[in-house]
Amino acid sequence: MIIDLHNHTKLCNHASGEMDEYVKEAIEKEIKYFGFSDHAPMEFDKEYRMSFNDMRFYEGEVKRLKDIYKKDIEILLGYEVDYLPNYMDERVINAKVDYLIGSVHFLDGWGFDNPEFIGEYKNRDIDKIWEEYFDAIKSMAKSGKFDIVGHIDLIKVFKYLPKKEIKVIASEAIKEIKRANLVVELNMAGYKKPINELYPSKDILELIKEHDIDITFGSDAHKPSEICKYEDNLKDILKEFDFTKCAVFKDRDRELINF
Ligand SMILES: [Zn+2]
Ligand SMILES: [Zn+2]
C-alpha cells in the first residue's frame, strides 16, 4: 500500500522486532508513507503499552529513522490512544506528532478484544454490547482529540455479531465522525482474527461511502512481517468500493493522496 499509518513497536510489551526492521519491511513492501503509532502511555492497563518515560526514546527513534531512510520512505510519528475518559493524558494528546489514532479497546474496563476475557460476551446482551461500543466511538469522535478512528468495528473481533442491523447500530457514530471530520482507517489486522475480514465490514464501508468520509490504511503490525501482509485482500475491497484517495498526516495536517 502507498500508506500504512498503524504500526506498533516492542515498547508496548506485546509486539516484537526492532524499529528499523519495520522500516526495512515497509520499504520492501513499497510503502511511501509509513507511520509508527504505538500504544500511548496511560495510567491504565499499563503492561500492554509504553510508559511515559519511553515517550522521549520512541519519538527520538522515529525521528532518527525518518532521517536515515528519507530517500526511500517517509516515516511518520503517531500514537494509538485508548479513548478512555479521565485517563487520556495531556502529554500524549498534546504531543508534537503527525497524527493520533483514537481506539476503543475497553468497555467499562472490560478488555473485549483480549481472548482472556472472551467469556464476558456470553454474560451480556450482544446488541447492548455493540451499542455501547458504538456509543464510545461516537463520544470519541465528539471529543475532538484525534485524527483517525482506529479499527472502527473492533467489537466484531471474535465474531459475536449483533442481532440488530450493524448499519443501524453504527449510524450515529458515523454521522458524528463526519461532523468531526475524522478519517477512518481500513485496518488489515482483522484478517488474522476469528472474524477474518477488514475493519470496517462492508456494511460500515457503505456508510463511509455514503457520507463521503476520508479513509487511510493501517496494518496494525505487531511484528515486521505483518506489515501489509493482507494488502491483496484490502486491494480487492478498494476496487469493489471504488475508493481512489487516502489520507496522510504531517504535523496533524491532512493531505489526500490519489492511489
Ligand atoms: Zn497492540
Ligand atoms: Zn488497537
Side-chain angles (χ1 to χ4, degrees):
M1 301 309 306
I2 184 168
I3 289 175
D4 189 341
L5 297 187
H6 192 150
N7 296 285
H8 294 279
T9 79
K10 64 184 186 183
L11 290 172
C12 69
N13 306 312
H14 63 278
S16 58
E18 299 305 320
M19 286 170 76
D20 67 325
E21 293 172 334
Y22 283 79
V23 174
K24 283 176 190 152
E25 180 71 19
I27 294 169
E28 190 78 12
K29 291 277 162 67
E30 299 182 350
I31 292 167
K32 284 209 181 119
Y33 301 91
F34 179 80
F36 284 103
S37 54
D38 208 2
H39 296 283
M42 186 175 269
E43 296 296 334
F44 183 87
D45 202 36
K46 285 158 78 167
E47 62 274 34
Y48 290 103
R49 54 183 82 252
M50 73 172 75
S51 68
F52 285 101
N53 289 335
D54 289 333
M55 285 178 77
R56 184 198 287 258
F57 173 78
Y58 168 71
E59 294 177 16
E61 277 299 283
V62 173
K63 283 176 192 149
R64 191 179 68 81
L65 292 167
K66 183 187 184 82
D67 201 47
I68 293 177
Y69 291 101
K70 66 181 170 214
K71 280 206 202 81
D72 301 312
I73 194 165
E74 179 146 7
I75 309 270
L76 300 167
L77 170 64
Y79 284 103
E80 180 183 20
V81 185
D82 280 84
Y83 177 68
L84 271 183
N86 304 322
Y87 285 99
M88 290 171 287
D89 194 286
E90 294 302 309
R91 285 169 282 180
V92 171
I93 299 299
N94 297 326
K96 286 217 173 314
V97 294
D98 292 306
Y99 58 90
L100 292 178
I101 299 176
S103 294
V104 175
H105 299 108
F106 297 93
L107 292 176
D108 263 340
W110 170 37
F112 61 81
D113 71 327
N114 184 335
E116 264 179 72
F117 310 120
I118 193 170
E120 186 66 13
Y121 282 92
K122 300 222 162 98
N123 296 335
R124 302 195 192 186
D125 180 279
I126 190 64
D127 285 349
K128 287 229 170 70
I129 293 174
W130 275 67
E131 281 162 358
E132 217 182 291
Y133 173 84
F134 278 99
D135 277 350
I137 294 283
K138 183 180 166 189
S139 318
M140 180 174 85
K142 227 175 192 163
S143 76
K145 294 183 192 301
F146 306 104
D147 305 293
I148 300 169
V149 181
H151 39 60
I152 188 171
D153 54 352
L154 180 64
I155 192 68
K156 72 185 177 183
V157 57
F158 296 122
K159 233 176 160 174
Y160 288 101
L161 302 176
K163 297 182 201 88
K164 271 195 194 171
E165 247 184 89
I166 290 174
K167 275 191 169 176
V168 173
I169 296 173
S171 111
E172 285 304 311
I174 291 287
K175 281 182 203 155
E176 193 58 50
I177 286 167
K178 179 65 188 175
R179 260 196 294 271
N181 194 24
L182 277 169
V183 169
V184 172
E185 72 165 0
L186 274 47
N187 180 313
M188 293 171 261
Y191 290 111
K192 64 179 183 203
K193 301 290 169 139
I195 187 69
N196 191 21
E197 66 177 31
L198 189 74
Y199 304 113
S201 66
K202 292 187 178 183
D203 279 341
I204 296 176
L205 286 170
E206 282 171 18
L207 294 177
I208 287 170
K209 283 296 275 192
E210 235 170 75
H211 289 83
D212 194 25
I213 291 168
D214 290 339
I215 57 159
T216 192
F217 310 127
S219 291
D220 209 342
H222 285 70
K223 50 182 170 209
S225 61
E226 288 176 350
I227 294 169
C228 282
K229 188 172 175 189
Y230 300 99
E231 67 179 335
D232 291 344
N233 305 47
L234 173 58
K235 282 176 181 164
D236 288 345
I237 299 260
L238 294 175
K239 236 185 243 156
E240 183 180 339
F241 283 84
D242 193 27
F243 285 111
T244 56
K245 284 186 185 114
C246 54
V248 68
F249 291 86
K250 291 171 203 172
D251 295 324
R252 306 202 67 179
D253 273 335
R254 179 184 317 181
E255 193 186 319
L256 288 177
I257 304 216
N258 287 303
F259 58 86

